[in-house]
Amino acid sequence: MKVSRLPLSCFVVALIAPLASADNLIKNASFEEPKVEGRVDGRKGVSPGLVEETTWARFQSRDATGKVSVGMTDELARTGKQSIYVQFDGAEKTKGAILLSQLISIKGGTTYRVSLWGRVDRKRPLTLDQGRPYMVLEVEFYPDDEVSRVGDPVIRTQMIPGMAERLLFLSNKWSEYFAEFRAPSEAKFIKITFNWEAPKREGPADGIIFFDDAAVEAVPGTPVPAADPPTADANPQPAGAAPVPAAPTPPLVPSEKSR
């Protein structure tokens, strides 16, 4: 497998990759750098964090047994030509993998949306009839000093491929996982971490899942309230579900937008 850097002549093209958004705070969000040929294991020194124009600090397996591995590939992508993958080889009760960002500059008191698109491998899918790994998103907040933390971290957990009544990650299409949160007023930076963990009780997991198009974006409109215990009238939605309007008042003009 060959690993190469983008030539200088392609630098401008890389900055305007498909669906790149000026509002997305992540650089190298579609994992287009470094360039790879085929599927390349991260243990061979390839990582989206090992390039100059990137938000990523680290992407690696934390499993010493080799049953959880990560890497980059040009075999499958939602946009652009590349994606990252997490591979489980009979993994059970062991450490998983991590994708960690550098500090990302934000505005305190603003609502943000963190997202990542995923798709399980057709030939080696992660299914409900085996041990299910899970993905944990953690968002931490930092003030001006970039060292101490403020507020409580946001933590969201998603089973892979999902629940029996609601599969999120499929083999025939890309699906978006997202979570929204309001940054503390004193926050100046955030750090996002995606953790992939092996099953703890259900038996071993065997399969591959791909990820592409990460994003951190400010959400316009009314901020999402802090995570408090739900009231009797609350109807909380799982991470990745479409937001439910706060009031049932119909719009004056029917909306043509659909999800």
Side-chain angles (χ1 to χ4, degrees):
M1 300 292 184
K2 296 181 179 180
V3 181
S4 61
R5 298 290 183 89
L6 273 176
L8 291 178
S9 60
C10 296
F11 182 67
V12 175
V13 176
L15 292 181
I16 54 174
L19 293 188
S21 170
D23 297 326
N24 187 358
L25 302 181
I26 294 182
K27 298 178 182 178
N28 198 19
S30 189
F31 309 107
E32 298 302 304
E33 297 183 69
K35 300 294 288 186
V36 298
E37 295 180 9
R39 189 177 300 183
V40 183
D41 192 300
R43 287 170 290 193
K44 295 183 178 181
V46 62
S47 170
L50 298 179
V51 292
E52 190 170 333
E53 292 292 324
T54 189
T55 297
W56 307 114
R58 186 156 47 109
F59 178 49
Q60 66 183 59
S61 171
R62 299 184 296 122
D63 171 39
T65 69
K67 293 183 177 181
V68 180
S69 57
V70 302
M72 301 182 68
T73 182
D74 65 357
E75 300 168 298
L76 186 68
R78 178 177 174 267
T79 65
K81 295 182 179 180
Q82 297 187 172
S83 63
I84 60 173
Y85 68 87
V86 181
Q87 179 171 322
F88 298 88
D89 295 305
E92 180 183 16
K93 299 178 181 178
T94 185
K95 292 183 178 180
I98 186 172
L99 174 64
L100 175 69
S101 80
Q102 301 177 33
L103 291 183
I104 301 170
S105 179
I106 61 165
K107 295 181 179 179
T110 301
T111 299
Y112 287 89
R113 186 180 194 269
V114 176
S115 60
L116 185 65
W117 291 77
R119 179 173 177 173
V120 297
D121 187 48
R122 286 180 179 271
K123 296 181 180 180
R124 290 187 60 192
L126 291 157
T127 60
L128 294 175
D129 58 357
Q130 60 175 305
R132 287 176 296 174
Y134 54 95
M135 178 172 71
V136 180
L137 166 66
E138 182 176 5
V139 182
E140 300 171 285
F141 305 97
Y142 293 82
D144 281 323
D145 65 14
E146 303 183 16
V147 178
S148 59
R149 291 189 294 183
V150 295
D152 295 323
V154 174
I155 299 176
R156 300 285 186 271
T157 301
Q158 171 65 47
M159 300 295 295
I160 301 175
M163 306 296 289
E165 61 276 12
R166 184 181 180 275
L167 288 176
L168 177 59
F169 298 119
L170 307 172
S171 63
N172 61 350
K173 69 175 184 177
W174 290 92
S175 301
E176 184 187 38
Y177 169 87
F178 71 83
E180 293 184 1
F181 57 89
R182 185 180 181 183
S185 58
E186 62 271 38
K188 300 297 182 182
F189 302 92
I190 61 170
K191 180 171 65 177
I192 62 171
T193 305
F194 287 97
N195 286 285
W196 292 277
E197 299 292 342
K200 303 299 183 186
R201 325 181 169 82
E202 298 179 323
D206 194 274
I208 303 169
I209 183 167
F210 301 91
F211 294 97
D212 202 0
D213 294 331
V216 174
E217 301 166 301
V219 177
T222 305
V224 174
D228 294 322
T231 63
D233 296 329
N235 184 23
Q237 298 295 307
V244 176
T249 305
L252 295 178
V253 179
S255 173
E256 295 180 356
K257 183 178 179 181
S258 61
R259 290 181 63 89

